[in-house]
Amino acid sequence: MNIGTRKIVVDEAIAQLRLYAETNGAVLQYYDGLPGLTTVGGSDPNRITLEDLGRTMVIGSDLRAMDIPWLLEVEAEKELAAIPVDARLEDAAPGSELFGAAMALDDKFTGHRGFGHAKKSKLLHLKRPYLYPVTDSFIRMTYGTASAGAEFLSAVRDDLVNPANVRDFKLLQVRLIAEPATSAARLLGEVPTLRLLDILASLLGEAK
């Protein structure tokens, strides 16, 4: 499986995902909404709420006090409403209407001092979990120069639609679902393929 500039085999990916699940239970429950992918898009999918901001803190968004009122006051309802909650990055080819809508929403949260790509991605992924990947410093290492904006979104999409990756991610999900009931990794069988990809991209970047 190819992710950004790195490669990983399915057996190693399973091992890494098991470790992630075992050590990030709070993230899976309170950020990802597992089990059951509860409140996809948040309790109000077309508005940013205090609940959303609290959930991003669980995954380490490190919001500052001055970020909170700004985020709550950003007028992005129109851009959010233009994107279905279940819109998939796989369907957002560069130049398509969906890709343009994704970048328009991204732009709404750009330019606030101290609110960079990592914070923004954690919020946008929460609102549209099938469309926006999470990014952090390790994921940016995995994706090299294509680590932000339209270029990053396009690069991640390329990995999602790569036929070999499609096959391997399906195998990953089958194996995750087959994990014992006591295994935390079983929860990851429910998440979007995009979420599996960004977890692995972060782990691969951290291992560099």
Side-chain angles (χ1 to χ4, degrees), residues 72-84:
L72 294 174
E73 293 168 9
V74 170
E75 295 181 357
E77 290 83 358
K78 178 182 176 182
E79 287 76 13
L80 282 162
I83 302 173

Side-chain angles (χ1 to χ4, degrees), residues 31 48-74 109 112-124 126-127 135:
Y31 178 71
I48 303 301
T49 67
L50 282 171
E51 174 194 309
D52 296 330
L53 304 185
R55 287 175 69 182
T56 68
M57 291 294 285
V58 180
I59 199 174
S61 62
D62 295 326
L63 296 178
R64 305 166 303 165
M66 65 184 71
D67 295 331
I68 306 300
W70 178 75
L71 287 166
L72 294 174
E73 293 168 9
V74 170
F109 296 94
H112 180 64
R113 185 175 180 182
F115 192 76
H117 298 301
K119 292 181 182 181
K120 179 168 59 174
S121 74
K122 289 166 184 173
L123 178 61
L124 292 180
L126 180 64
K127 301 307 290 183
T135 186

Side-chain angles (χ1 to χ4, degrees), residues 11-174:
D11 285 345
E12 178 60 20
I14 285 286
Q16 292 292 333
L17 290 169
R18 284 193 188 112
L19 181 60
Y20 180 88
E22 289 166 3
T23 55
N24 290 275
V27 171
L28 299 183
Q29 180 178 356
Y30 297 111
Y31 178 71
D32 292 295
L34 296 170
L37 280 179
T38 55
T39 60
V40 172
S43 55
D44 188 341
N46 294 332
R47 289 181 57 251
I48 303 301
T49 67
L50 282 171
E51 174 194 309
D52 296 330
L53 304 185
R55 287 175 69 182
T56 68
M57 291 294 285
V58 180
I59 199 174
S61 62
D62 295 326
L63 296 178
R64 305 166 303 165
M66 65 184 71
D67 295 331
I68 306 300
W70 178 75
L71 287 166
L72 294 174
E73 293 168 9
V74 170
E75 295 181 357
E77 290 83 358
K78 178 182 176 182
E79 287 76 13
L80 282 162
I83 302 173
V85 174
D86 59 354
R88 302 187 332 142
L89 182 54
E90 293 93 323
D91 300 325
S96 68
E97 183 177 346
L98 180 55
F99 192 91
M103 293 314 303
L105 180 57
D106 184 281
D107 287 344
K108 279 288 181 176
F109 296 94
T110 299
H112 180 64
R113 185 175 180 182
F115 192 76
H117 298 301
K119 292 181 182 181
K120 179 168 59 174
S121 74
K122 289 166 184 173
L123 178 61
L124 292 180
H125 176 78
L126 180 64
K127 301 307 290 183
R128 298 293 184 269
Y130 299 90
L131 181 61
Y132 291 99
V134 173
T135 186
D136 58 22
S137 59
F138 296 126
I139 293 172
R140 289 195 291 275
M141 290 177 69
T142 297
Y143 276 91
T145 56
S147 62
E151 190 178 8
F152 174 62
L153 205 61
S154 180
V156 173
R157 180 184 179 276
D158 286 345
D159 284 344
L160 284 176
V161 301
N162 177 315
N165 283 356
V166 170
R167 178 200 63 216
D168 287 346
F169 274 117
K170 284 181 179 177
L171 179 57
L172 268 183
Q173 287 166 326
V174 167

